[in-house]
């Protein structure tokens, strides 16, 4: 659901995902892309793409931290060999 919100309302999606600085940057990006988008229409998609990528990276970072914490807490998985 956060991906849909990030695609349709990028700054709000970023704020709800816990990324206030990215939301502010996205607002500036919207202004610039709205002005330049009058001539280069593909630029209108840039703020949504930025928000989607930022949300995805934040979620992957959270997932990575959870895995690392689980390995620290419980040890490596069975059959894991150190190089």
């Amino acid at each position: 659901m956060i991906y849909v919100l990030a695609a349709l309302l990028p700054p709000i999606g970023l704020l709800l995902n816990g990324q206030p600085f990215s939301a502010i940057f996205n607002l500036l990006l919207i202004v610039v892309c709205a002005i330049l988008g009058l001539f280069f229409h593909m630029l209108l998609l840039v703020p949504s793409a930025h928000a989607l990528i930022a949300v995805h990276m934040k979620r992957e970072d959270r997932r990575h931290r959870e895995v690392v914490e689980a390995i620290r807490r419980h040890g490596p998985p069975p059959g894991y060999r150190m190089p």
Side-chain angles (χ1 to χ4, degrees):
M1 192 66 179
I2 192 75
Y3 287 106
V4 173
L5 191 59
L8 298 178
L9 299 169
I12 295 174
L14 288 168
L15 278 176
L16 291 178
N17 198 41
Q19 297 175 285
F21 295 113
S22 291
I24 293 169
F25 175 72
N26 198 281
L27 279 173
L28 296 173
L29 200 59
I30 287 173
V31 170
V32 171
C33 288
I35 294 168
L36 295 176
L38 297 172
F39 304 107
F40 306 103
H41 302 300
M42 291 298 293
L43 288 178
L44 296 174
L45 298 175
V46 170
S48 292
H50 167 258
L52 289 171
I53 292 168
V55 166
H56 178 73
M57 288 177 62
K58 179 81 170 193
R59 292 174 80 84
E60 285 296 317
D61 186 48
R62 286 182 196 147
R63 187 175 299 133
H64 177 71
R65 279 187 273 128
E66 288 174 4
V67 169
V68 169
E69 184 60 32
I71 290 173
R72 284 186 185 145
R73 193 176 316 126
H74 302 292
Y80 179 76
R81 294 186 299 154
M82 295 291 283

